[in-house]
Amino acid sequence: MNYSKKKIGLLVLALLLLSTVVAVVLTIQTKPSIPSSEKKIHTGYASWPYHDLESATADAETIVCGKVISKGETKSHEIARSAASGRVFLEYYREVEVEVTQMVKGDQTAKTITYLEPGGETEDTIYMTSGVEPIIEGETYLFFLNEHGAFLSPATLMEVEDGTISPVPDMLPENELQVLSDEPVTVSLDDYLALVDALLA
């Protein structure tokens, strides 16, 4: 009789534990997730040093053409703290893995590089930087990066489309400046990189 009571007690305990686990799992699975379209959008503003093609070529730690493989989780680091209120100001970014297709300046043995993309997305907020378009997985870009893996300025990040790029006027070769208009100027990537090589020589 005592054996049966003990057995029933263990069975009841096991059922209680099982129901608790099921309740926790259901709570996790049914936790509402905010769709991106409903998240708050926080736009930050920044200023970058002026760069033309010559200064960007000289100042960049790495100049590389590469295909975006993947983007990591959004991270943040403290950039300032208010002495009066103690409020912490954070900068959000993502580590982006880029497959090297052509290393112009930098580690010639590198197969991939890590680009630090400004902005990101958390559970309830999308962080953006004014004037900076997020790069797209699977697409190819030309990067002029500093020692940390961030661009020198938004002008030093260019998408490659069908073997061409469309630099902003400041990053155009001098012989293209005469064609300034509202329409973007398209330049052959190979010709552009040849100019960069000449500047590095």
Side-chain angles (χ1 to χ4, degrees):
M1 188 73 173
N2 285 341
Y3 176 73
S4 295
K5 283 184 178 177
K6 194 179 284 185
K7 198 172 181 182
I8 291 169
L10 287 172
L11 184 59
V12 169
L13 183 61
L15 286 171
L16 283 171
L17 285 172
L18 181 61
S19 64
T20 303
V21 169
V22 170
V24 169
V25 169
L26 286 175
T27 302
I28 292 169
Q29 288 180 342
T30 58
K31 182 181 179 183
S33 177
I34 303 173
S36 291
S37 60
E38 295 177 17
K39 291 184 179 183
K40 293 180 290 184
I41 295 179
H42 181 275
T43 303
Y45 298 87
S47 59
W48 292 272
Y50 168 80
H51 281 99
D52 57 14
L53 179 57
E54 187 173 350
S55 66
T57 300
D59 293 347
E61 186 80 15
T62 303
I63 303 172
V64 62
C65 191
K67 181 178 179 180
V68 178
I69 299 172
S70 63
K71 293 188 178 190
E73 293 296 315
T74 299
K75 297 182 178 181
S76 66
H77 70 274
E78 183 179 323
I79 54 171
R81 184 184 294 265
S82 168
S85 66
R87 183 179 172 195
V88 174
F89 296 89
L90 299 175
E91 182 175 56
Y92 291 84
Y93 67 96
R94 282 179 172 165
E95 292 181 350
V96 178
E97 186 178 10
V98 177
E99 179 184 15
V100 173
T101 55
Q102 190 169 353
M103 181 64 74
V104 183
K105 180 182 182 183
D107 181 0
Q108 298 296 322
T109 65
K111 302 295 183 198
T112 63
I113 58 112
T114 299
Y115 160 61
L116 299 186
E117 179 180 57
E121 190 169 338
T122 61
E123 287 181 5
D124 59 359
T125 307
I126 295 172
Y127 293 90
M128 304 176 71
T129 302
S130 180
V132 180
E133 288 294 322
I135 61 176
I136 302 166
E137 287 185 40
E139 297 299 320
T140 300
Y141 295 84
L142 175 61
F143 301 84
F144 288 72
L145 304 176
N146 64 21
E147 67 274 18
H148 306 295
F151 56 50
L152 300 177
S153 75
T156 63
L157 171 62
M158 296 163 241
E159 185 174 2
V160 179
E161 295 183 276
D162 299 322
T164 65
I165 55 174
S166 297
V168 300
D170 291 336
M171 289 293 288
L172 280 169
E174 281 185 21
N175 63 332
E176 297 287 350
L177 290 175
Q178 58 193 351
V179 198
L180 290 183
S181 69
D182 291 338
E183 294 297 316
V185 177
T186 301
V187 181
S188 157
L189 175 65
D190 289 340
D191 290 348
Y192 197 81
L193 293 184
L195 286 168
V196 173
D197 281 333
L199 289 169
L200 288 170

